C-alpha cells in the first residue's frame, strides 16, 4: 500500500514563503551584479573625469595667459567652467545607473526653482560678480575701500559669489559681490598716483608763513613725489582751537603709504624744532570778578 503524507497548513505556508524568497534572491542577483559593475564603472569614470577636468582647467589657464586676460575675469570664468564640467560629469555618472537625461532635466528644473527661491542672495551675488567683471570698477591687485561696511584692502580674488580682500595686516576678508556691485566704493589704485592730502592744526600764536615754508620744503624733498602737478600749501580752515594748514602733492601709488607715514613724522619733528605748536582741541575759560 502507498503511504500518504499529510502536510499541515503551516508547513505549506513555509514552503511557499521559502520558495518565493528563493525566487526573489535569484532575481536580485543579476541586479546586484549590474549595480556593482555600474558602481565600479562610475568610480572609474569619476577618476578619469576629474583628471580630464584638471587638464581642461590647465589648458584654460594657458589660453587666458596667452590672451593676457584680467586675473579677476580668469578666476571668475574658471569657477563657472569648473561647475559646468562637474555637472556634466555627474550627469554621465547618473546615466550609468539608468537615470535618463529627461529625468535629470526634470529634476534640475524642479530643483532650480526651489534653489532659486532659497538662494536669492547667492544669485544676486553671482549677478554682482558678472557686473564687476563687465564694468570693471576694480581689478585684482587694486586697493579699494568698500563704504557699506568700511572694509578696505587689496583685491586678492574675484570668485563667483565673493570677492576676497587682503588687509594691510594680512587678514583675508570675503565680501559678497552683490554688496560690492550695489554699494559705493573707492578705488585707490585706479590711477598711477595718489594725492597726499593732509591738514595740520597749529596754534594761532604760531608763525603761519614759517609753517607753510616748512611744509613746502618737506614736500619738495619727498622721495616718491611726482611732478605731474605743483605742491599746494594753504590755510584750509580757521578752526576753534587751531589754524588748519593743508598740504597736497601727488605720490607714486606704490609708495603712497610709506610716503604718508614718513611725511607726517617729518612734519612733527620739523615743527617741534621750529617752535611751531601743533594744537589739540582746547577750551579757554575766562573768570570775571
Amino acid at each position: 500500500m502507498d503511504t500518504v503524507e499529510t502536510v499541515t497548513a503551516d508547513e505549506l505556508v513555509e514552503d511557499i514563503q521559502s520558495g518565493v524568497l528563493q525566487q526573489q534572491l535569484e532575481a536580485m542577483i543579476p541586479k546586484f551584479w549590474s549595480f556593482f559593475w555600474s558602481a565600479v564603472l562610475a568610480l572609474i569614470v569619476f577618476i578619469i573625469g576629474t583628471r580630464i577636468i584638471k587638464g581642461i582647467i590647465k589648458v584654460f589657464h594657458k589660453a587666458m595667459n596667452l590672451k593676457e586676460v584680467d586675473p579677476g575675469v580668469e578666476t571668475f570664468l574658471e569657477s563657472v567652467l569648473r561647475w559646468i564640467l562637474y555637472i556634466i560629469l555627474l550627469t554621465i555618472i547618473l546615466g550609468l545607473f539608468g537615470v535618463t537625461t529627461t529625468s535629470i532635466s526634470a529634476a534640475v528644473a524642479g530643483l532650480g526653482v526651489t534653489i532659486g527661491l532659497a538662494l536669492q542672495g547667492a544669485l544676486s551675488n553671482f549677478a554682482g560678480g558678472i557686473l564687476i567683471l563687465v564694468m570693471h570698477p576694480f581689478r585684482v591687485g587694486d586697493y579699494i575701500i568698500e563704504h557699506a561696511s568700511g572694509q578696505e584692502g587689496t583685491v586678492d580674488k574675484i570668485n563667483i559669489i565673493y570677492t576676497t580682500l587682503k588687509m594691510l595686516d594680512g587678514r583675508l576678508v570675503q565680501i559678497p559681490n552683490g554688496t560690492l556691485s550695489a554699494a559705493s566704493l573707492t578705488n585707490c589704485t585706479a590711477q598711477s598716483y595718489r594725492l597726499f592730502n593732509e591738514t595740520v592744526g597749529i596754534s594761532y600764536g604760531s608763525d603761519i608763513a614759517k609753517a607753510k615754508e616748512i611744509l613746502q620744503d618737506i614736500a619738495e624733498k619727498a622721495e616718491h613725489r611726482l611732478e605731474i602737478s605743483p605742491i599746494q600749501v594753504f590755510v584750509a580752515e580757521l578752526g576753534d582751537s587751531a589754524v588748519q594748514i593743508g598740504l597736497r602733492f601727488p605720490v607714486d601709488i606704490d609708495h603712497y603709504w610709506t610716503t604718508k607715514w614718513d611725511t607726517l613724522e617729518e612734519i612733527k619733528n620739523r615743527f617741534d624744532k621750529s617752535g611751531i605748536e601743533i594744537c589739540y582741541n582746547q577750551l579757554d575759560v575766562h573768570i570775571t570778578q
Side-chain angles (χ1 to χ4, degrees):
M1 295 178 62
D2 295 335
T3 304
V4 178
E5 296 182 358
T6 59
V7 180
T8 62
D10 293 337
E11 293 175 345
L12 182 60
V13 171
E14 285 185 15
D15 292 340
I16 294 174
Q17 289 179 344
S18 61
V20 171
L21 180 60
Q22 184 178 0
Q23 291 178 359
Q24 291 178 347
L25 290 175
E26 291 176 353
M28 288 177 61
I29 290 175
K31 295 180 180 179
F32 171 78
W33 282 111
S34 177
F35 178 82
F36 174 77
W37 290 116
S38 297
V40 172
L41 183 59
L43 180 61
I44 295 173
V45 171
F46 177 78
I47 295 173
I48 296 175
T50 51
R51 293 184 178 180
I52 293 175
I53 290 174
K54 290 180 181 179
I56 293 175
I57 296 298
K58 288 183 180 179
V59 172
F60 169 79
H61 281 300
K62 290 181 180 179
M64 294 295 102
N65 292 334
L66 289 175
K67 293 183 177 294
E68 297 182 352
V69 177
D70 182 80
V73 177
E74 181 179 347
T75 303
F76 185 87
L77 293 179
E78 178 198 345
S79 301
V80 175
L81 178 62
R82 191 183 298 275
W83 274 97
I84 293 174
L85 292 176
Y86 273 107
I87 290 174
I88 294 174
L89 178 60
L90 179 61
T91 304
I92 295 173
I93 291 174
L94 290 176
L96 296 176
F97 291 97
V99 181
T100 61
T101 306
T102 305
S103 301
I104 296 174
S105 301
V108 170
L111 287 175
V113 176
T114 305
I115 294 174
L117 295 174
L119 301 178
Q120 292 182 7
L123 293 176
S124 67
N125 292 332
F126 178 78
I130 294 177
L131 288 175
I132 290 172
L133 296 177
V134 172
M135 304 303 295
H136 290 299
F138 56 83
R139 301 173 186 269
V140 172
D142 286 349
Y143 188 93
I144 66 172
I145 302 173
E146 187 266 312
H147 297 163
S149 58
Q151 302 285 355
E152 61 178 280
T154 303
V155 179
D156 186 61
K157 292 180 182 179
I158 303 175
N159 291 324
I160 295 178
I161 306 298
Y162 293 97
T163 291
T164 304
L165 297 185
K166 186 175 184 180
M167 317 299 281
L168 291 175
D169 57 3
R171 291 176 299 157
L172 295 178
V173 177
Q174 290 186 329
I175 301 178
N177 290 333
T179 301
L180 291 175
S181 62
S184 60
L185 58 87
T186 300
N187 190 337
C188 301
T189 53
Q191 300 185 17
S192 60
Y193 71 94
R194 186 173 175 181
L195 195 66
F196 177 91
N197 183 18
E198 299 290 337
T199 58
V200 183
I202 65 174
S203 66
Y204 275 90
S206 299
D207 189 344
I208 295 178
K210 181 64 176 177
K212 292 175 66 177
E213 179 183 342
I214 292 173
L215 293 178
Q216 179 74 26
D217 183 63
I218 291 174
E220 290 176 353
K221 294 179 180 179
E223 182 178 358
H224 300 289
R225 179 178 66 86
L226 300 178
E227 298 183 358
I228 57 177
S229 62
I231 300 170
Q232 294 179 314
V233 184
F234 53 92
V235 177
E237 182 184 359
L238 299 177
D240 295 333
S241 304
V243 178
Q244 299 292 336
I245 308 296
L247 175 62
R248 292 176 182 171
F249 60 90
V251 180
D252 181 14
I253 191 63
D254 294 331
H255 302 90
Y256 172 78
W257 290 107
T258 54
T259 301
K260 177 179 178 178
W261 299 329
D262 293 343
T263 301
L264 292 176
E265 182 178 352
E266 184 67 14
I267 290 173
K268 176 66 169 62
N269 293 334
R270 292 282 296 273
F271 276 14
D272 288 346
K273 291 179 181 179
S274 302
I276 297 175
E277 181 183 1
I278 298 178
C279 284
Y280 50 87
N281 290 333
Q282 58 187 2
L283 178 65
D284 292 335
V285 179
H286 300 275
I287 300 177
T288 58
Q289 299 296 332

